[in-house]
């Protein structure tokens, strides 16, 4: 039965009065919102009331959620976090460029460039197979140990290199999966127009591939933001290290909670945004 | 007169599966040739062989008397001469219609956007898309996208155009606008090879119709002959199914 | 009757032997395990505080002090057990697995808000560890000269506030997880100098760091808040009064000074920083 056959002239309606279906769906939505609200509230209340009943709660609170220590250390933590931001800011573009270069190495087809391809494969295999902190240690202490003069032995340089090596390997794999996801017919279309392989890659495949992997890469860069803290192992006093210093001075873990808060303020919106992009893309694909 | 495009004994294999089993075909200058045949008979593959998107295993293809099927030959200049339009449009989704059209002339012929833009504008309005130049593919209907794809191929100023079932993916009411474009090109004297299921269209405009069956041209001739008096039983059977 | 007397004697005998074994009345019932004193040290424990990472031997300054305190509290050699903890384990909330923890913990008012310290068992000078190359390049034992050096330190030590307050270097110091990493940075030339307590610095410069040198020391009597080591205990640990009593006894009798003289090298040769 279509609208036109309804006797009450509903089909000719110009004002947006809700249809029966809309009324029904609104009611369902209201009911599920109510249930979600009630169950969330009960879980939160349970946590708020039950956790403090635990026998060790007071001690935990004093060690981890100590207002006095928090107030004394938080400004210093924020200040140290600037270093994280800086390291991130110069590492991220380097990682993006290196990752792209490695992805292209792996994608070369010309036999003359086979060594490049082999290099790309070895690179991604090795650096994805190593814990970041190991690479930071080995490169951050190892290379300067060869006897480089200052400032070329700076932990910032070699620590950054370590981050770039590891993360560009992941970024390269993500970009490569993006390249693979571009349908062969796009390459065919480009080839049929007489475009060279190079131009096909540069103007047709890569722009689409990179757009497709933006969310995946965002997740990598969120992880990078956290792993910047590992540079502290070779000297730089970023927020994680600063929190460790405060922890040791105050014999209290609250500074770590402060550092965690700073990370979350940054990473939660970024994660939500990456998820949003990912969903949007999935919807566009179907 | 020698043929513009000439195929002799063309064979193409995918693994063990031979898809073209010795194709002989001549396309004269300004001629329109239609390939008909069941799905899987090898029409698309044959077209892709013609502009070297697929390397052939055996046989020869001549373009203006030059052997273009020689192994190791650079396919790019040939592809500039022979344009192809696909069933699924294959527009570049990240570029506007105009950018889709201008990319290859810019990169291959080194022409600037300023020079190209007026030419491209003329093509767009000729095919009724004057107001769609700066739309992205996903903002266009199927028929509009297919017309942009045709313009894109034409912008390379090819001597021959190949069309691979370019109306098959379209809603019925959009088929007409694309066929009109082909009519227009036919009027301009463009040399064309079409794989098509539009039998009425083939009958109306083709100079020659070839019936492909399991990788062979079983029968070919002027449309009136082939459609009204097919010699082969398989041609008859096919035509009785589609007409 | 005979049986009863015998029984009573037996009870008496057992009781006295328990008292003898359990040590002074002070510690009774206040230790983790009755009759045993559980002491924590680092993992690893470093020279010259503990020799060969084997505190059970009683060799090394802290190991020797630990056994001396234990004895004063009435625990024989056999009634002491050792455990290993990191700094974080030492301060984490919840039940502790040691009675006291001894690994050069500096006593500070901030830390005392969270844990208890015994009276100090050692007052350390702070010393500047560097390499001969840096000395040859013109580094001197003056505050002015020290300001211009690139500094490093172990992140979990009280050397850091000292570094900031007293030396106030012109570029930000680099901080590390442990001695080994600081040494690696010194040897790689990433830092010029590191701040340590004097005994550690003496040992590192002589044995561990290639081309290591001691540039100078900040003697404790010069400092407003000298670096004093104390035994770390859970807050409000009732054992604290017994430990403090034992330490006071050891200090007053001169035993503590004797142990120090035995295990910690004289630092008279190290110039004082002006
Ligand atoms: N790239 C390829 N790899 C393997 N088999 C293919 C490929 N392209 C086409 N084929 C096979 O070749 C046969 C002919 O296909 P096609 O040329 O697309 O026929 P048509 O266009 O007439 O429907 C089919 O059986 C198809 O499965
Ligand atoms: Mg086909």
């Amino acid at each position: 039965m279509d609208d036109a056959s309804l006797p009450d002239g509903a089909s000719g309606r110009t004002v947006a009065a809700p249809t029966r279906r809309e009324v029904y769906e609104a009611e369902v939505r209201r009911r599920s919102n109510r249930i979600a609200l009630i169950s969330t509230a009960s879980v939160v209340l349970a946590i708020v009331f039950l956790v403090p009943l635990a026998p060790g709660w007071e001690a935990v609170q004093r060690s981890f959620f100590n207002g006095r220590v928090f107030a004394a250390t938080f400004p210093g933590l924020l200040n140290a976090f600037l270093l994280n931001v800086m390291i991130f800011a110069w590492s991220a573009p380097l990682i993006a460029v290196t990752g792209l270069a490695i992805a292209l190495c792996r994608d070369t087809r010309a036999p003359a460039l086979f060594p490049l391809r082999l290099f790309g494969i070895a690179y991604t295999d090795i650096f994805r197979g190593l814990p970041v902190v190991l690479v930071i240690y080995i490169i951050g202490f190892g290379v300067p140990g060869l006897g480089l003069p200052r400032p070329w032995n700076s932990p910032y340089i070699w620590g950054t290199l370590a981050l770039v090596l590891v993360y560009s390997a992941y970024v390269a794999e993500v970009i490569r999966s993006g390249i693979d996801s571009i349908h062969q017919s796009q390459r065919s279309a480009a080839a049929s127009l007489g475009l060279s392989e190079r131009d096909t890659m540069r103007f047709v495949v890569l722009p689409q591939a990179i757009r497709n992997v933006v969310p995946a890469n965002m997740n990598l860069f969120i992880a990078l933001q956290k792993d910047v803290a590992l540079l502290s192992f070779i000297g730089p006093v970023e927020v994680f290290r600063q929190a460790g210093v405060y922890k040791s001075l105050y014999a209290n873990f609250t500074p770590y909670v402060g550092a965690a808060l700073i990370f979350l303020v940054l990473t939660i919106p970024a994660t939500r945004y990456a998820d949003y992009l990912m969903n949007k893309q999935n919807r566009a694909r179907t | 007169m020698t043929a513009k495009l000439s195929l002799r004994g063309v064979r193409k294999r995918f693994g063990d599966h031979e898809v073209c089993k010795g194709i002989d075909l001549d396309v004269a200058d300004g001629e329109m040739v239609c390939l008909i045949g069941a799905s899987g008979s090898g029409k698309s593959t044959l077209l892709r062989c013609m502009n070297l998107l697929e390397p052939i295993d055996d046989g020869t293809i001549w373009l203006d008397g030059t052997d273009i099927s020689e192994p190791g030959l650079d396919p790019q200049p040939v592809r500039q001469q022979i344009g192809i339009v696909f069933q699924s449009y294959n527009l570049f989704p990240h570029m506007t219609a105009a950018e889709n059209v201008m990319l290859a002339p810019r990169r291959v012929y080194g022409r600037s956007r300023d020079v190209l833009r007026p030419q491209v504008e003329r093509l767009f309005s000729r095919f009724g898309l004057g107001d769609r130049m700066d739309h992205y593919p996903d903002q266009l209907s199927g028929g509009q996208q297919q017309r942009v794809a045709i313009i894109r191929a034409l912008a390379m100023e090819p001597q021959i155009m190949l069309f691979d079932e370019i109306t098959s993916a379209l809603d019925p009411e959009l088929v007409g606008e694309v066929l009109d474009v082909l009519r227009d090109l036919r009027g301009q004297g463009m040399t064309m090879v079409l794989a098509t299921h539009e039998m009425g269209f083939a009958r109306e405009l083709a100079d020659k119709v070839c019936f492909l069956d399991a990788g062979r041209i079983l029968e070919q001739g002027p449309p009136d002959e082939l459609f009204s008096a097919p010699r082969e039983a398989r041609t008859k059977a096919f035509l009785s199914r589609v007409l | 009757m005979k049986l009863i007397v015998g029984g009573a004697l037996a009870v008496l005998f057992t009781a006295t032997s328990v008292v003898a074994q359990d040590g002074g009345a002070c510690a009774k019932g206040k230790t983790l395990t009755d009759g045993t004193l559980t002491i924590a040290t680092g993992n690893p424990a470093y020279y010259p505080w503990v020799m060969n990472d084997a505190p059970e031997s009683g060799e090394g300054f802290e190991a020797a002090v630990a056994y001396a305190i234990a004895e004063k509290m009435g625990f024989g050699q056999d009634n002491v057990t050792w455990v290993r903890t990191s700094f974080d384990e030492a301060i984490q909330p919840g039940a502790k697995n040691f009675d006291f923890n001894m690994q050069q913990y500096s006593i500070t008012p901030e830390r005392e808000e969270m844990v208890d310290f015994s009276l100090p068992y050692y007052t350390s000078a702070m010393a500047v560890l560097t390499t001969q190359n840096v000395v040859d390049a013109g580094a001197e034992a003056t505050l002015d000269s020290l300001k211009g050096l690139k500094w490093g330190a172990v992140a979990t030590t009280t050397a850091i506030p000292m570094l900031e307050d007293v030396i106030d270097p012109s570029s930000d110091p680099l901080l590390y997880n442990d001695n080994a990493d600081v040494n690696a940075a010194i040897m790689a030339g990433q830092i010029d100098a590191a701040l340590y307590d004097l005994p550690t610095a003496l040992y590192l410069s002589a044995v561990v760091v290639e081309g290591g040198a001691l540039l100078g020391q900040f003697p404790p009597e010069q400092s407003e808040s000298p670096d004093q080591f104390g035994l770390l205990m859970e807050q409000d640990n009732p054992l604290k009064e017994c430990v403090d009593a034992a330490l006071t006894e050891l200090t007053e009798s001169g035993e503590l000074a004797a142990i120090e003289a035995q295990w910690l090298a004289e630092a008279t040769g190290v110039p004082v920083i002006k």
Side-chain angles (χ1 to χ4, degrees):
Chain A
M1 280 278 148
D2 60 359
D3 267 1
S5 64
L6 291 173
D8 62 351
S11 60
R13 188 180 45 223
T14 46
V15 216
T19 61
R20 272 160 67 196
R21 186 175 177 80
E22 279 166 355
V23 170
Y24 169 76
E25 280 178 354
E27 176 52 32
V28 169
R29 220 174 311 131
R30 261 198 300 279
R31 187 155 11 115
S32 38
N33 282 347
R34 253 195 320 271
I35 295 172
L37 194 74
I38 291 169
S39 68
T40 312
S42 1
V43 170
V44 169
L45 285 180
I47 293 172
V48 167
F49 283 106
L50 291 183
V51 169
L53 294 183
W57 168 244
E58 216 175 300
V60 168
Q61 192 184 17
R62 250 161 42 90
S63 287
F64 285 88
F65 306 102
N66 189 316
R68 182 182 56 83
V69 175
F70 187 85
T73 59
F74 196 70
L77 292 177
L78 272 182
N79 198 34
F81 189 68
L82 287 182
L83 184 56
N84 295 63
V85 173
M86 269 157 56
I87 295 173
F88 179 83
W90 70 59
S91 301
L94 289 174
I95 287 167
V97 170
T98 317
L100 180 59
I102 298 296
L104 291 178
C105 278
R106 285 204 67 165
D107 214 57
T108 51
R109 285 159 198 206
L113 300 180
F114 184 72
L116 216 56
R117 188 183 176 136
L118 205 64
F119 165 78
I121 294 172
Y123 185 98
T124 45
D125 280 3
I126 291 173
F127 287 109
R128 283 185 310 155
L130 289 172
V132 190
V133 69
L134 268 189
V135 180
I136 288 178
Y137 251 113
I138 291 170
I139 293 182
F141 277 142
V143 178
L146 297 177
L148 292 172
R150 224 170 285 162
W152 301 111
N153 64 3
S154 155
Y156 291 97
I157 295 179
W158 299 103
T160 301
L161 178 71
L163 286 178
V164 170
L165 287 174
V166 172
Y167 270 87
S168 63
Y170 284 99
V171 169
E173 281 305 285
V174 166
I175 292 181
R176 207 171 66 97
S177 76
I179 290 174
D180 288 349
S181 76
I182 302 304
H183 199 267
Q184 183 58 32
S185 63
Q186 288 282 308
R187 285 181 193 257
S188 274
S192 75
L193 292 167
L195 285 173
S196 64
E197 289 227 355
R198 236 183 110 93
D199 281 353
T200 302
M201 181 53 85
R202 176 165 158 208
F203 293 101
V204 176
V205 177
L206 267 189
Q208 299 184 60
I210 288 177
R211 190 171 310 183
N212 286 355
V213 298
V214 162
N217 270 332
M218 266 195 77
N219 283 329
L220 279 180
F221 282 107
I222 290 166
L224 170 68
Q225 177 60 64
K226 294 180 284 174
D227 277 354
V228 162
L230 295 177
L231 242 61
S232 65
F233 280 71
I234 55 171
V237 185
E238 48 63 67
V239 67
F240 175 67
R241 172 64 81 207
Q242 187 62 56
V245 169
Y246 285 140
K247 168 211 69 183
S248 138
L249 291 183
Y250 289 87
N252 191 294
F253 293 102
T254 306
Y256 281 145
V257 175
L261 281 180
I262 295 176
F263 275 112
L264 286 180
V265 163
L266 212 80
T267 49
I268 287 187
T271 315
R272 297 314 318 156
Y273 186 60
D275 279 2
Y276 162 78
L277 286 182
M278 191 93 83
N279 283 336
K280 203 167 93 171
Q281 233 168 46
N282 287 345
R283 250 177 288 132
R285 247 179 232 141
T286 48
Chain B
M1 135 191 166
T2 58
K4 182 99 191 146
L5 186 72
S6 196
L7 281 67
R8 284 294 173 272
V10 167
R11 289 176 181 278
K12 174 68 192 174
R13 208 181 304 116
F14 292 112
D16 288 343
H17 179 29
E18 195 169 39
V19 179
C20 296
K21 300 172 176 160
I23 302 278
D24 297 333
L25 180 68
D26 288 305
V27 184
D29 197 9
E31 205 176 31
M32 174 163 153
V33 174
C34 284
L35 306 177
I36 61 172
S39 179
S41 57
K43 303 182 295 295
S44 299
T45 306
L46 184 57
L47 289 175
R48 295 169 63 88
C49 288
M50 287 182 194
N51 78 338
L52 310 187
L53 280 177
E54 299 287 356
I56 61 174
D57 296 312
D58 202 4
T60 321
I61 304 175
W62 282 280
L63 174 65
D64 284 326
T66 314
D67 181 356
I68 57 168
S69 56
E70 197 169 295
L73 186 101
D74 180 8
Q76 276 174 46
V78 174
R79 292 180 190 149
Q80 293 156 27
Q81 306 281 309
I82 307 178
I84 187 168
V85 181
F86 305 94
Q87 177 179 342
S88 51
Y89 335 134
N90 298 358
L91 291 181
F92 307 135
H94 59 298
M95 296 179 186
T96 63
E99 288 294 325
N100 261 278
V101 171
M102 291 190 289
L103 175 65
R106 274 173 48 222
R107 299 302 304 173
V108 179
Y109 297 144
R111 294 182 193 155
S112 73
R113 282 195 176 85
D114 292 344
V115 173
L116 286 167
R117 185 84 189 184
Q119 303 170 5
V120 171
E121 264 168 23
R122 269 198 300 282
L123 279 172
F124 271 82
S125 34
R126 178 172 149 202
F127 297 124
L129 292 169
D131 54 345
R132 293 285 185 273
M133 289 185 67
D134 298 314
H135 286 56
Y136 283 88
D138 61 6
Q139 299 170 314
L140 299 174
S141 73
Q144 290 169 335
Q145 288 191 56
Q146 194 57 292
R147 281 182 281 159
V148 173
I150 296 172
I151 295 172
R152 183 172 70 175
L154 288 175
M156 290 302 284
E157 296 162 356
Q159 301 181 23
I160 301 176
M161 285 284 284
L162 311 176
F163 298 94
D164 187 3
E165 295 193 34
I166 60 171
T167 56
S168 297
L170 297 179
D171 291 338
E173 74 270 22
L174 300 178
V175 170
E177 65 189 48
V178 174
L179 292 183
D180 284 343
V181 172
L182 296 182
R183 254 183 218 106
D184 181 317
L185 288 177
R186 176 94 178 92
Q188 303 276 319
M190 172 65 77
T191 309
M192 299 192 273
V193 183
L194 282 74
T196 187
H197 286 300
E198 298 291 333
M199 296 304 159
F201 181 79
R203 191 161 196 169
E204 174 198 339
L205 286 179
D207 296 297
K208 180 158 73 186
V209 178
C210 305
F211 174 64
L212 240 75
D213 182 64
R216 277 181 241 280
I217 296 184
L218 207 60
E219 187 169 354
Q220 58 177 305
D224 285 338
E225 247 172 57
L226 192 122
F227 283 117
S228 32
R231 272 168 290 140
E232 301 286 335
R234 297 185 64 91
T235 318
K236 271 185 207 144
F238 173 73
L239 287 175
S240 72
R241 264 184 286 129
V242 296
L243 283 178
Chain C
M1 180 66 199
K2 207 173 175 193
L3 201 75
I4 292 170
V5 170
L9 266 175
V11 168
L12 199 71
F13 197 75
T14 329
T16 47
S17 78
V18 164
V19 166
Q21 207 180 48
D22 204 23
C26 180
K28 192 165 173 123
K30 297 176 184 170
T31 56
L32 222 49
T33 322
D34 266 344
T36 304
L37 187 63
T38 310
I39 308 176
T41 183
N43 191 12
Y46 289 108
Y47 182 99
W49 311 105
V50 172
M51 307 304 269
N52 307 318
D53 193 25
E56 304 80 12
S57 65
E59 296 186 340
F61 176 68
E62 283 185 349
V65 171
Y67 279 109
I69 292 172
E71 199 190 318
K72 287 276 180 265
M73 289 167 69
F75 296 92
Q77 190 114 357
D78 296 338
N79 300 104
V80 173
T81 53
W82 290 89
V83 291
R84 310 280 186 151
T85 74
S86 64
F87 179 79
D88 290 12
E89 286 170 290
I91 62 169
Q92 78 186 21
K96 303 271 188 279
N97 64 345
F98 53 81
D99 288 315
F100 59 73
N101 198 322
M102 193 174 193
Q103 35 183 320
Q104 308 108 62
Y105 287 131
S106 301
I107 304 169
T108 71
E110 289 85 3
R111 287 177 173 179
E112 280 196 299
E113 299 264 345
M114 299 304 299
V115 290
D116 275 353
F117 285 104
S118 70
L119 295 172
Y121 60 87
Y122 181 69
T123 302
S124 171
M126 289 303 257
V128 177
L129 174 69
T130 182
T131 61
Q132 196 54 47
N133 290 343
V134 176
V135 176
D136 293 345
E140 292 169 19
T142 64
L143 273 179
D144 266 353
S145 173
L146 294 186
K147 260 190 214 310
L149 297 182
K150 185 76 189 166
W151 282 88
V154 176
T156 51
T157 63
T158 46
I160 291 155
M162 169 118 188
L163 191 56
E164 276 159 12
D165 298 345
V166 179
I167 301 175
D168 188 22
S170 49
S171 72
D172 288 338
L174 296 174
L175 304 182
Y176 300 90
N177 282 351
D178 53 29
N179 295 358
D181 287 355
V182 176
N183 300 338
I186 286 191
M187 288 193 262
Q190 289 174 311
I191 54 175
D192 294 318
L195 203 57
Y196 280 110
D197 60 71
L198 183 57
T200 302
L202 272 171
Y203 166 67
L204 291 177
S205 73
V207 182
V208 178
V209 177
E210 234 172 276
L214 266 193
L215 193 53
Q217 60 166 321
F218 298 95
E221 49 286 5
Q222 212 183 43
S223 168
E224 279 169 32
S225 50
D227 203 22
Q228 296 189 311
F229 295 168
L231 307 180
L232 185 151
M233 284 163 282
E234 192 178 351
Q235 201 162 40
D236 302 325
N237 188 338
L239 204 60
K240 177 172 157 52
E241 47 172 335
C242 318
V243 174
D244 281 349
L247 265 171
T248 310
E249 228 181 291
L250 287 172
T251 312
E252 283 170 359
S253 68
E255 282 170 82
L256 191 60
I259 296 173
E260 191 179 317
Q262 183 185 355
W263 295 108
L264 299 182
E266 271 294 323
T268 44
V270 182
V272 170
I273 291 162
K274 293 179 280 281

